[in-house]
Amino acid sequence: MLAFISARQAGLDDPLRLRRAECTRRVLSLELNKDRDVERIHGSGVNTLDIEPVEGRYMLSGGSDGVIVLYDLENFSRKPCYTCKAICSVGRSHPDVHKFSVETVQWYPHDTGMFTSSSFDKTLKIWDTNTLQPADVFNFEGTVYSHHMSPIATKHCLIAVGTKSPKVQLCDLKSGSCSQILQGHRQEVLAVVWSPRSEYILATASADSRVKLWDVRRASGCLITLDQHNGEKSKASSEAANTAHNGRVNGLCFTSDGLHLLTMGTDDRMRLWNSSSGENTLVNYGKVCNESRKGLKFTISHGCDPEFAFVPYGSTIAVYTIYSGELITMLRGHYNTVDCCVFQPNFQELYSGSKDCNILAWVPALREPIPDEDAEKQYLNPAFEDGWSSSDDEG
Amino acid sequence: MDQKLTHLVEDLTTSGDPQLDPEKMKELKKICKSSEEHISHVYHLLMTQLNQDHAEMRFSAFQIVDELFTRSHQFRTLIISNFQEFLELTVETDYEQPLPPPKEIAQKLKKTVIKSVQEWHEKYGEAYKKLSLGYHFLKQNKKVDFQDVNVRTPAARRREEEKQKRLDNIYKERAKRAEKEMAEMSQEIQDTLTEMENCFRLLMPDPFDFRVNDAELEPVTERTANEDKPTSSLSMQMANCQPSLLEHMDDEQPCCSKDLLFVSPSLIADRNRDLNEELGLPEQKGVDSGEYSEAEITAAAISDDDSEIFVRNHGLGSHKYTLNLDVSTDVTVRENEDNTAIINNIIDAHKLIKNKFLPSVQSWIQLFTRAGINDDCLRRAIDFKNKLEAAMKKHKEMNIDYKERVRKVMKVSNDEDDDDEDEFVEVPEKEGYEPHIPDHLRKEYGLEPHSPPKALTKGRAAKPILLSNQSQQTRNEEELDPTCAAATLKLIRDKLPKLLPLNNSASANPEPATSTEPDSETRKLEERAKAPVIPFGLDLFYWGQDQPTAGKILKFSSQHRFWAPNEMEEEVENKEVAEMLKSRYITFPGKFEPVKHKCRAVMPDGRLCERQDRFKCPFHGKIIPRDESGNPINPEDKIREENKRFEKQAEQPEWQDPEFMREVEAATGVDLGSSRYSGKGKGGKNKGKKRKYPNLTDLKQEANTSRSRLEKKVFNKGAMKRVVKAMNRMDQKKHEKFANQFNYALN
């Protein structure tokens, strides 16, 4: 650390380098911290989380009972101990609350004044954050598994929606209608995500084990269908051709630079694809336990040297390096299946939601204080002390 | 050290005791205290024990965990780092991983863990984040009620609540009904109570109830004073000495003063005489004289302040001495013609209270308490109960000596018309009712056998001495009882005399000699009782008659225009049919006779075989007569049995006694082949395979149910294969049969 700082002072290093090193160190030391808590509002499992990209301060969470809660993550109390407060929530008593489980929530990428939520009650709602009233409601024929809005789009305002029908729908916020339908999948669409690199590129994953990349300007069909065998027909039977996984594909995530795409399937595999060529990079992550019947929200770190993927793995969160496929650690803390996790890039914090109704905050561990005898005695929590009785007989 | 640790943990967890051995625990703690490495070692050992499929092991392991948790920070961190698994193994948080048997221990384990987790949370929850997370998880997701010691699932709790609610509703409903009932009945109860109370007072004054007497005394004296001067002295005296009597009088003539206002002195004198007559009444009632005088004196002492008058009135010399009188509280009231009416009243009231009021009041109280109603109703009900009980008690204390009551209903058969007879409504004869029960069926009806019919017709005077005098008497008594079948029978017999000759003739016909010997009579009766009763049929209908058409079958010629059978006999006579109309088959399988003998062969343990087979015992062969000790009586049986024993011994020579051989083998180390005999050996199997942890409950033993054994047989691989093969063969056969048809060929 000191070496990095001195090198930075001397101007030997790129400023990015210090930042990267520190980020990586912090991500590697993520742990549950007793000082950081998220207020317990949800009475049932937490399906989805999203942190707004503008400030990285507000977090939305959607519960499986239709409740949406908005948290403030920033700690202004000047104390190490902080409980993320729920600022407001769309509770069960709210007139416009989702009837069934909320599957996806997303902030409007450019402003915190608006957010979107989709649910199993076959609707997609556009909310005004300040009044907590739905500004617009899109109705669909099937349950909505996932929706996404392009984080970088400036020329369009489309929300891609994956529903129970195999057609991917594009809803235009400007006109308030479903403007476009992308046909190509054969079964329900479990995950949709826009590329962070090019505003017209969309990736969709479906239960027919295919992942397709689309250019929404092209109406005729998809750009590429990702193939796990990279077109080597000899290995693949005719049925498995052009499939990304051997089971349902329920997780999609672009790397922050948009060059690669991570997919998750119920065949307990995670695959990394080159998003421009559609090539399987054949990184081996080992078995990634995935029993979810619906979409799975996983996330990747931002600004670290080897980038990390945080993947729900049963009741734990597995941390992998993206490009080498190495399992770094398992974060244990939830008592039931973890459904979603989201990374806060500014402070390298991770938030995860689980079926046990908890949202846990994983915070980088502080550096060990310099071992100072007196200070240690003072600050040591009495609970950490050993309770052996002093006499030898007692034990 | 590590070895010792392993041993200690294993010993502690496999002891099967509900409490840990304190000595070993102390040792374990001492080792753990010495270094952190031991702690992590212990942690891993304990986790393996917690993973065992035995609730007792898990329970003991958890107890060690609990001990160490409160002591070592290191241990706490270790446990909490894997708290999910820990909870899964101990509290059954994962429904797919239920706690292992035995069930009671598992429940106990769950309870203890939940209690401990709460304690841990209170103590360390702040410092260990995951501990508090786990606690909240249990509390909010698993809905564990930490206050409620019983671990119940929310569903069970809800079910219980619903049940409780339903019960509450029912109780409330019932309580409401009871309340209504009570409102209706309370007046009646009150009346009955008053009636009874009055009756008691009439019969006998309450020796301790002075105040009541006083209170009632006052108006009487006033009244008498009002009446007339000459009588006043007498009534005054009466009041002084016999309050009870006055009260009596008061009750009988409640408005005497008004009536007497204009009555002439002569009448008053009459009345006084009357009173005097009544004065004698208590003696008739048999009231203890001592008690009586006591009442007199005390009453006087209270009512009369003037001691002089007191002394004078009682003819006492002075006021200096005291008079002690023993009051015997046990009273007997004898019934006589004077108080019959009162006592009848009392009896009625007592019956009413005992049979009707008290039970209903008790049920009300029960209902109210159960419904949780705690207001006026309950209080009133309890009040009633107390009053009723007091009345009952008083009744008992009175010791009323009832006269023998003549049951008037008995007189129904007599000609005397009674009031009671009005209550009997003429009932039309019941359908299917047999007014005359045939002799052979009398037993079934619970009646004594009929006296010989002849005797009946001739009148009772000529009755032979068939039945003993005593039985005759009891019979008569029975006849007097209207509820008894005998009485009805007698009534009917009296009413229907015309049926009797018929009976008589029927019985007289077969035996013209009319032998009066009771022996033959009874034998005949017995035989008749034995004879089967058969339903009425055609054969009986045409009994002794000749039927012209019997057995003839009529065939009608065909009505068809063209088609007709060429030859046809119109009438066919069938002998069999004709026979059928005249005869009847009665199958008589005989009667079941239970086996009375036993096998009684000697069993290896010295007892005699208790089996009761008719001919052959499945274990000891043909049943033969045997003596007390089980040896055959007949010599040839004895020989046969001996032979058999020899044969058996030849199979297994005496010196090859398996146990003895085993001992020899153990001593010499040479295999003599004892295992050959111990196939069914009593202790051989268990001895050979010693259980690893003898102190734990044997799960296999528990799982070894008849069902599991059957399962083993039925679902055994070989059996399944056989069945599948057989079924396939059957399928195959069908296929072979229809192989050339395409739709069968395919499947």
Side-chain angles (χ1 to χ4, degrees), chain A residues 60-354:
Chain A
L60 278 173
S61 70
S64 56
D65 53 354
V67 174
I68 299 170
V69 185
L70 206 163
Y71 293 99
D72 183 2
L73 302 181
E74 208 100 330
N75 179 8
F76 288 115
S77 65
R78 291 171 177 272
K79 279 179 207 149
C81 183
Y82 176 64
T83 301
C84 299
K85 275 193 209 64
I87 299 170
C88 54
S89 70
V90 181
R92 291 302 315 165
S93 52
H94 194 281
D96 296 309
V97 70
H98 279 293
K99 276 200 205 76
F100 306 131
S101 163
V102 175
E103 284 306 297
T104 316
V105 286
Q106 197 196 359
W107 286 101
Y108 180 62
H110 311 295
D111 188 5
T112 53
M114 184 159 83
F115 66 89
T116 55
S117 69
S118 62
S119 151
F120 270 1
D121 64 4
K122 304 179 183 178
T123 57
L124 164 72
K125 290 187 179 175
I126 318 296
W127 299 82
D128 182 339
T129 316
N130 295 314
T131 60
L132 269 195
Q133 296 295 326
D136 200 357
V137 178
F138 293 92
N139 283 299
F140 300 96
E141 277 162 18
T143 53
V144 182
Y145 284 105
S146 163
H147 75 269
H148 197 241
M149 225 171 157
S150 174
I152 52 152
T154 49
K155 300 212 175 67
H156 69 79
C157 207
L158 291 172
I159 305 174
V161 183
T163 65
K164 196 155 189 173
S165 86
K167 296 166 188 165
V168 179
Q169 319 227 17
L170 297 181
C171 301
D172 195 345
L173 280 187
K174 282 179 187 156
S175 66
S177 63
C178 285
S179 60
Q180 206 173 337
I181 286 171
L182 304 177
Q183 289 194 28
H185 283 297
R186 289 177 197 164
Q187 282 178 45
E188 57 213 45
V189 180
L190 295 174
V192 290
V193 64
W194 290 94
S195 161
R197 191 170 190 85
S198 152
E199 61 177 304
Y200 295 111
I201 300 295
L202 174 73
T204 61
S206 153
D208 63 4
S209 43
R210 285 185 171 81
V211 176
K212 287 176 189 283
L213 292 179
W214 311 79
D215 186 332
V216 293
R217 291 166 296 189
R218 218 173 92 159
S220 58
C222 66
L223 285 178
I224 320 167
T225 302
L226 301 183
D227 181 11
Q228 53 183 326
H229 303 294
N230 284 335
E232 290 175 44
K233 285 271 161 104
S234 59
K235 280 182 200 161
S237 67
S238 59
E239 292 232 345
N242 285 333
T243 55
H245 285 269
N246 292 327
R248 301 149 66 87
V249 188
N250 55 4
L252 274 182
C253 189
F254 274 102
T255 52
S256 49
D257 51 14
L259 290 176
H260 290 90
L261 175 68
L262 269 172
T263 62
M264 289 264 297
T266 50
D267 56 353
D268 292 343
R269 290 277 173 266
M270 185 158 74
R271 298 214 158 87
L272 182 72
W273 311 83
N274 185 329
S275 63
S276 54
S277 64
E279 203 180 337
N280 188 354
T281 57
L282 298 172
V283 175
N284 182 14
Y285 296 95
K287 186 187 173 189
V288 183
C289 199
N290 179 4
E291 283 158 353
S292 178
R293 303 281 304 157
K294 30 187 209 183
L296 193 71
K297 277 90 188 168
F298 64 100
T299 188
I300 49 175
S301 66
H302 184 72
C304 307
D305 189 7
E307 294 282 10
F308 300 101
F310 304 96
V311 186
Y313 190 103
S315 64
T316 61
I317 301 164
V319 183
Y320 294 96
T321 53
I322 289 180
Y323 300 111
S324 61
E326 196 184 338
L327 175 63
I328 302 293
T329 179
M330 304 277 259
L331 304 174
R332 300 176 168 277
H334 283 290
Y335 285 83
N336 211 332
T337 317
V338 180
D339 278 327
C340 55
C341 46
V342 65
F343 186 73
Q344 212 273 15
N346 298 356
F347 295 99
Q348 289 85 36
E349 288 166 347
L350 182 73
Y351 292 87
S352 62
S354 149

Side-chain angles (χ1 to χ4, degrees), chain B residues 24 48 53 143 246 250 259 370 435 493 531 543 631 677:
Chain B
K24 284 178 183 165
T48 25
D53 274 340
K143 310 281 184 231
L246 264 182
D250 188 32
D259 289 345
R370 212 178 279 166
R493 203 162 47 213
W543 191 259
N631 296 321
Y677 299 109

